[in-house]
């Protein structure tokens, strides 16, 4: 009896770390990313609620950006922030969904249709939970009446560019190309976050929490859809068309 315990444990771990199967490595990695992102979000949210050190850093950094604003950089940041706003994110999400549909990548399409609008709704709900007031200046570069925490633009950028990066990483095989894809996606999220802080509509903690929120939500969506895809493959429930285009879909 005692000898069977280690063997069962080893079989369990082997199944969780296997790249094959319904509940293999993809689920393990997805849950790990979800837990890590959720923990980061919770830690930042707790610090904001209790007025920890990061809130004082927030105010100092907000004033630092505001005091160094220039007309040219302000125009550039306004372009970035408007391009990645509700309308821009919706258009980019719709175009990405259309691309998945034309490529018959139906599980990526499902992930996109869930992740992009779902992430926006989640962010609105979190804003009303925390109800944090935005930074305030006598001569603001941009004024908004909605709540500040967490940043909707940053969360949407994390979901969209993260989803796009996941798809491209699955499509390319050279490790340098994969690093370039992930780096580019991270740079776009950072640029959006910078635009929100520079324009004085979000604090540092707002954008950091939003990135964690977006990563957690994206991990949920991709892991769930990938598990559904693997389960249907394992049970032989996929059609000939789905098997033919399996290379386009989630692994």
């Amino acid at each position: 009896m005692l000898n069977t315990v280690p063997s069962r444990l080893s079989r369990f771990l082997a199944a969780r770390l296997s790249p094959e199967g319904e509940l293999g490595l993809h689920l393990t990695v997805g849950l790990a990313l979800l837990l890590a992102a959720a923990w980061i979000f919770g830690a930042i949210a707790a610090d904001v609620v209790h007025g920890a050190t990061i809130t004082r850093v927030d105010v100092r950094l907000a004033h630092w950006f505001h005091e160094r604003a220039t007309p040219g950089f302000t125009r550039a940041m306004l372009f970035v922030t408007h391009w990645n706003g509700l309308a821009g994110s919706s258009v980019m999400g719709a175009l990405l969904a259309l691309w998945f549909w034309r490529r018959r990548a139906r599980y990526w399409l499902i992930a996109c249709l869930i992740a992009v609008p779902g992430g926006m709704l989640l962010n609105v709900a979190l804003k009303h939970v925390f109800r944090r007031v935005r930074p305030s200046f006598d001569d603001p570069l941009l004024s908004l009446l909605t709540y500040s925490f967490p940043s909707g633009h940053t969360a949407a950028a994390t979901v969209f560019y993260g989803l796009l990066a996941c798809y491209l990483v699955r499509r390319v095989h050279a490790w340098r190309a994969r690093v370039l894809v992930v780096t580019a996606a991270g740079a776009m999220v950072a640029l959006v976050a910078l635009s929100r802080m520079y324009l004085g509509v979000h604090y540092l903690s707002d954008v950091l929490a939003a990135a964690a929120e977006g990563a957690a939500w994206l991990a949920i969506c991709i892991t769930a859809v990938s598990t559904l895809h693997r389960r249907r493959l394992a049970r032989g429930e996929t059609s000939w068309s789905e098997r033919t285009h399996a290379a386009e879909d989630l692994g």
Side-chain angles (χ1 to χ4, degrees):
M1 178 67 70
L2 293 178
N3 292 332
T4 61
V5 175
S7 62
R8 289 178 180 175
L9 180 59
S10 63
R11 287 198 300 270
F12 175 81
L13 292 176
R16 298 295 76 75
L17 298 177
S18 172
E20 307 297 335
E22 300 176 28
L23 306 175
L25 183 61
H26 77 285
L27 182 60
T28 303
V29 173
L31 289 176
L33 291 174
L34 168 60
L35 292 174
W39 181 85
I40 292 172
F41 178 86
I44 297 174
D47 286 347
V48 169
V49 170
H50 294 100
T53 303
I54 193 171
T55 59
R56 294 189 288 274
V57 175
D58 283 341
V59 175
R60 292 172 187 167
L61 188 59
H63 284 279
W64 187 90
F65 276 122
H66 191 73
E67 291 167 0
R68 288 160 178 78
T70 62
F73 199 64
T74 298
R75 286 192 295 271
M77 291 294 96
L78 283 171
F79 173 80
V80 171
T81 207
H82 290 320
W83 179 260
N84 291 274
L86 177 60
S89 295
S90 299
V91 170
M92 290 190 293
L95 291 175
L96 184 59
L98 178 62
W99 169 262
F100 291 150
W101 178 75
R102 289 179 62 86
R103 300 290 296 183
R104 298 186 183 180
R106 63 180 62 197
Y107 290 98
W108 283 107
L109 174 59
I110 294 171
C112 183
L113 294 177
I114 296 173
V116 175
M120 293 178 181
L121 293 175
L122 174 63
N123 185 265
V124 172
L126 288 173
K127 282 181 181 292
H128 283 84
V129 169
F130 292 97
R131 298 180 177 231
R132 188 184 194 186
V133 178
R134 293 183 185 272
S136 178
F137 302 97
D138 293 333
D139 52 341
L141 299 176
L142 184 64
S143 297
L144 297 173
L145 299 177
T146 53
Y147 295 118
S148 179
F149 183 92
S151 166
H153 283 63
T154 306
T158 302
V159 171
F160 175 78
Y161 294 114
L163 178 63
L164 181 59
C166 289
Y167 175 73
L168 293 177
V169 165
R170 285 283 298 165
R171 296 288 295 156
V172 299
H173 301 290
W175 68 268
R176 290 182 180 177
R178 290 183 169 183
V179 170
L180 180 61
V181 166
V182 174
T183 301
M188 286 304 302
V189 174
L191 183 61
V192 174
L194 174 64
S195 73
R196 304 305 284 170
M197 290 189 294
Y198 172 86
L199 293 171
V201 291
H202 280 296
Y203 294 112
L204 173 64
S205 56
D206 295 339
V207 299
L208 292 178
E213 169 209 339
W217 175 245
L218 185 59
I220 291 174
C221 295
I222 289 184
T223 302
V225 175
S226 179
T227 300
L228 172 64
H229 182 208
R230 287 169 175 264
R231 178 166 294 182
R232 294 197 67 196
L233 286 174
R235 297 181 179 181
E237 298 176 358
T238 54
S239 65
W240 177 86
S241 177
E242 286 179 300
R243 290 192 296 271
T244 302
H245 295 91
E248 284 287 340
D249 267 318
L250 289 151

